[in-house]
């Protein structure tokens, strides 16, 4: 089984802020997308650097309001945010 990896959120200037975990970069990107404000017509760009490497995974991300599943628990609202991500590329950086 794959190990949990840590991914650091970067902005366009290279400043790093939050740490998101996931077994795959996509899983961490979905967590970031759910906090963002991107829409399908105007998606956010998410850059996640994998800790311990010089790889930066770049995604386009947005969220949509959808109906909750029919078998939802009582505490869950009728409408929920569903995140979407699309991988754009992987960049290599010179220094962290």
């Amino acid at each position: 089984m794959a190990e949990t990896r840590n991914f650091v959120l970067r902005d366009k200037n290279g400043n790093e802020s939050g740490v998101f975990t996931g077994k795959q970069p996509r899983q961490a990107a979905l967590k970031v997308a759910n906090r963002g404000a991107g829409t399908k017509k105007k998606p956010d760009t998410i850059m996640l650097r994998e800790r311990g490497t010089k790889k930066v995974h770049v995604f386009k991300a947005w969220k949509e309001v959808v109906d909750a599943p029919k078998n939802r628990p009582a505490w869950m609202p009728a409408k929920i945010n569903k995140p979407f991500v699309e991988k754009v590329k992987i960049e290599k950086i010179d220094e962290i």
Side-chain angles (χ1 to χ4, degrees):
M1 230 164 149
E3 299 243 347
T4 302
R5 302 178 344 205
N6 293 315
F7 299 91
V8 182
L9 183 62
R10 291 173 62 97
D11 62 10
K12 292 182 190 216
N13 300 326
N15 299 322
E16 298 183 345
S17 51
V19 178
F20 295 87
T21 60
K23 295 184 188 229
Q24 299 292 326
R26 183 177 185 277
Q27 190 176 19
L30 285 167
K31 293 176 183 181
V32 176
N34 212 19
R35 296 181 182 199
T39 62
K40 189 165 185 167
K41 290 183 179 181
K42 194 172 180 185
D44 289 338
T45 301
I46 295 174
M47 299 173 71
L48 294 172
R49 181 182 62 82
E50 188 172 348
R51 275 223 173 130
T53 69
K54 294 184 178 181
K55 288 185 195 175
V56 177
H57 302 270
V58 182
F59 293 89
K60 289 201 183 284
W62 67 94
K63 65 182 177 182
E64 295 176 4
V65 177
V66 297
D67 292 329
K70 300 246 187 261
N71 60 348
R72 68 186 166 96
W75 54 264
M76 186 181 284
K79 298 277 187 182
I80 59 171
N81 289 324
K82 183 173 181 182
F84 293 90
V85 294
E86 185 178 303
K87 191 152 197 176
V88 178
K89 61 185 171 180
I90 297 176
E91 295 178 349
K92 302 269 184 175
I93 55 175
D94 296 329
E95 60 182 57
I96 298 172

